[in-house]
């Protein structure tokens, strides 16, 4: 996953696969909790899935301020590209 767009596509696939969401509901400005109805347990599952996809350890603390799909994309981008963070 190099670009933010690739991260978004991977994230969208994960949300569809893990939580059976319709792909058209998933946009960068979609709120995870309000729009997509992701709860805290779902968030842990998502973090675990992203960890397997990226090969990077993702701390739950890194996701405390995450609210939107775009926030997740940025957090994953920072983890996979620390030189640009």
């Amino acid at each position: 996953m190099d670009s933010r767009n690739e991260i978004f596509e991977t994230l969208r696939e994960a949300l569809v696969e893990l939580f059976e969401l319709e792909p058209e509901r998933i946009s960068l400005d979609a709120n995870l909790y309000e729009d997509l109805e992701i709860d805290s347990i779902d968030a842990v599952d998502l973090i675990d899935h992203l960890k397997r996809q990226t090969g990077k350890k993702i701390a739950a603390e890194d996701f405390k301020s995450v609210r939107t799909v775009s926030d997740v994309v940025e957090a994953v981008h920072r983890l996979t590209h620390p030189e640009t963070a």
Side-chain angles (χ1 to χ4, degrees), residues 23-55:
E24 58 274 5
R25 287 182 60 196
I26 305 164
S27 66
L28 285 171
D29 60 346
N31 185 292
L32 294 171
Y33 309 105
E34 295 168 10
D35 300 329
L36 303 180
E37 300 172 12
I38 303 292
D39 63 23
S40 58
I41 297 193
D42 292 338
V44 171
D45 290 340
L46 181 59
I47 289 169
D48 186 57
H49 182 85
L50 291 171
K51 182 170 56 173
R52 288 193 308 270
Q53 291 292 315
T54 63

Side-chain angles (χ1 to χ4, degrees), residues 4-79:
R4 286 175 175 85
N5 193 49
E6 288 176 310
I7 294 168
F8 172 69
E9 289 303 322
T10 300
L11 178 59
R12 182 193 308 234
E13 290 169 13
L15 290 167
V16 168
E17 177 186 330
L18 294 170
F19 309 116
E20 301 176 0
L21 296 171
E22 299 84 16
E24 58 274 5
R25 287 182 60 196
I26 305 164
S27 66
L28 285 171
D29 60 346
N31 185 292
L32 294 171
Y33 309 105
E34 295 168 10
D35 300 329
L36 303 180
E37 300 172 12
I38 303 292
D39 63 23
S40 58
I41 297 193
D42 292 338
V44 171
D45 290 340
L46 181 59
I47 289 169
D48 186 57
H49 182 85
L50 291 171
K51 182 170 56 173
R52 288 193 308 270
Q53 291 292 315
T54 63
K56 303 283 185 186
K57 181 171 173 47
I58 300 173
E61 301 83 52
D62 294 338
F63 278 73
K64 281 189 176 178
S65 63
V66 165
R67 297 288 176 261
T68 66
V69 170
S70 180
D71 293 341
V72 176
V73 170
E74 288 304 315
V76 171
H77 191 266
R78 282 192 304 273
L79 282 170

